[in-house]
Amino acid sequence: NRQWFKSAVGMDISEMPREETFCQYTIMQDGIVEVPNTLENDTFKNHEHVAGEFGIRFYLGIPITTPDGYNIGTVCAVDTIPHQITDEERAALSLFAKHVITQLQLRLSNQELTKAKDMAEKAVYAKDSFMANMSHEIRTPMNAIMGFTELLLQSKLNSQQAQFVHNVQTAGENLLLIINDILDISKI
């Protein structure tokens, strides 16, 4: 609904309502809108910026178009004297409009990448915290199991019971090694 001037030389305004602009016509087009002399153009000769304080006599604009075909803005040049432009100048304007949309897309992509990076870092932190907490939570009862198996082995057991307790102790030691490795990885 508004036109913002990102660069304006000789004008003391930074924005105006869209319906007051020449760009309202350009943004509806697929290509360059060129008005060499606004006084000779039926669309613009009675426009308030032609007859009024700005005295615009020349307009050149091109839409800024997204890759999916949406016109989201314009690049334009206006002057108070009529002009004829060359094919090279038209090509330069088209190239500039493509450069603008490329820059906007890069900025959007960078913002999306930053968000994705932040989400990934948070996910890694959550995973690491979970692994560390789970490892600590498992280590405490494992140490108790290891301690009680050691006490059982010191008591009077028949050979079958001693073998069972020894197997439990071996499995517990192996499990404790795995838990310690997980803790080390989460610390790294």
Side-chain angles (χ1 to χ4, degrees):
N1 293 326
R2 309 226 21 103
Q3 176 177 334
W4 285 271
F5 298 94
K6 299 298 181 187
S7 175
V9 178
M11 298 175 68
D12 292 331
I13 59 173
S14 61
E15 65 178 274
M16 69 174 50
R18 179 177 170 177
E19 63 271 3
E20 293 180 15
T21 68
F22 289 19
C23 290
Q24 68 175 311
Y25 303 100
T26 304
I27 201 166
M28 304 303 287
Q29 303 300 316
D30 292 328
I32 292 177
V33 173
E34 181 180 346
V35 183
N37 187 342
T38 57
L39 293 174
E40 296 174 357
N41 184 286
D42 290 337
T43 303
F44 297 110
K45 66 182 176 185
N46 295 319
H47 193 280
E48 66 182 280
H49 297 311
V50 173
E53 68 176 297
F54 293 121
I56 294 174
R57 297 295 179 263
F58 169 78
Y59 174 83
L60 178 67
I62 187 168
I64 299 170
T65 307
T66 64
D68 50 357
Y70 291 101
N71 292 347
I72 62 168
T74 63
V75 174
C76 69
V78 297
D79 202 345
T80 56
I81 54 176
H83 290 280
Q84 291 292 329
I85 63 165
T86 65
D87 288 337
E88 291 82 15
E89 290 168 325
R90 283 183 199 90
L93 183 66
S94 294
L95 184 63
F96 184 67
K98 289 176 184 172
H99 178 71
V100 168
I101 196 65
T102 299
Q103 290 300 312
L104 290 171
Q105 288 176 298
L106 284 173
R107 184 182 299 167
L108 182 61
S109 294
N110 284 339
Q111 289 171 348
E112 290 170 356
L113 285 172
T114 299
K115 287 179 186 176
K117 178 182 169 241
D118 291 345
M119 287 176 56
E121 287 173 350
K122 288 176 182 175
V124 167
Y125 177 77
K127 176 199 61 100
D128 290 346
S129 294
F130 173 79
M131 294 299 288
N133 288 336
M134 287 306 298
S135 296
H136 283 292
E137 294 298 322
I138 294 170
R139 181 188 272 173
T140 301
M142 274 310 299
N143 283 329
I145 291 169
M146 297 302 295
F148 283 116
T149 54
E150 188 64 37
L151 290 174
L152 274 172
L153 281 173
Q154 293 173 8
S155 66
K156 292 184 180 181
L157 301 171
N158 66 36
S159 63
Q160 187 180 22
Q161 290 172 329
Q163 183 61 41
F164 288 160
V165 172
H166 181 70
N167 289 343
V168 168
Q169 185 180 36
T170 302
E173 288 169 352
N174 289 337
L175 189 54
L176 200 53
L177 284 173
I178 292 170
I179 293 167
N180 287 333
D181 287 345
I182 291 171
L183 267 177
D184 290 342
I185 290 171
S186 69
K187 287 176 186 174
I188 292 172

